[in-house]
Amino acid sequence: YVQILGYIPTGYTTRSMLEVRQFLNWYAQGYKDSMGGSLIDGIFLDEVLGNTSSLAYYRTLRDWIRSEERLAASNVMANPGILPQSSVYYTEPIADTWIIYENRELPLAPAPSLADIELPTSPALGVQFGAMVHSASSVSDLRRVVELAKAK
């Protein structure tokens, strides 16, 4: 199953709510199949700030996405690139999937490796975690990281 997600860069909460709403409307109104149904299954929120001071901002975005009936589904993927500082982000949940690792297959110091990340012990029902690996130097290196992520 392949999901098609609309991309919204949040600018670590510096992007105005008006701009974010315009992005959401753009995805909801466009990208239709031949029958007029939406091809967009949800929204990928990038540049997510995972601290408690930004919680209200991301709650609002989540609620907008969940209530948008013009999307095929209301999946929310959030990319802080690290595990959010506040556990409320993945226990409430703000997103269905959290990208908690975004780096090269062999991270440069002082970035943590995927093996160093401890997943929360009690995320909300259905919350998933993901990793974005870029700049893999070989298929075998990428395969090693994928196996490590699946083991998590």
Side-chain angles (χ1 to χ4, degrees), residues 21-102:
R21 189 64 184 191
Q22 288 171 335
F23 270 106
L24 182 57
N25 284 332
W26 185 61
Y27 287 118
Q29 291 172 356
Y31 301 99
K32 303 290 184 186
D33 63 21
S34 61
M35 300 298 289
S38 179
L39 296 172
I40 304 296
D41 297 309
I43 300 295
F44 180 90
L45 299 173
D46 201 7
E47 301 169 344
V48 170
L49 189 61
N51 60 28
T52 54
S53 65
S54 60
L55 194 55
Y57 179 91
Y58 292 109
R59 274 187 184 128
T60 299
L61 300 187
R62 176 210 50 206
D63 292 346
W64 282 350
I65 295 165
R66 296 257 194 267
S67 66
E68 182 51 72
E69 295 177 359
R70 295 173 294 175
L71 298 176
S74 59
N75 299 321
V76 179
M77 184 177 289
N79 180 25
I82 60 171
L83 196 62
Q85 294 171 356
S86 174
S87 64
V88 74
Y89 273 86
Y90 47 84
T91 57
E92 189 170 326
I94 298 297
D96 302 300
T97 303
W98 285 97
I99 302 300
I100 59 170
Y101 178 84
E102 179 183 6

Side-chain angles (χ1 to χ4, degrees), residues 114 133 140-152:
L114 187 55
V133 178
S140 62
D141 284 343
L142 182 58
R143 184 175 291 122
R144 182 180 52 79
V145 174
V146 169
E147 289 170 2
L148 179 60
K150 287 178 79 172
K152 287 279 185 185

Side-chain angles (χ1 to χ4, degrees), residues 114-134:
L114 187 55
D116 297 330
I117 295 174
E118 292 294 325
L119 293 178
T121 55
S122 57
L125 184 64
V127 170
Q128 299 177 359
F129 299 98
M132 290 177 59
V133 178
H134 57 77

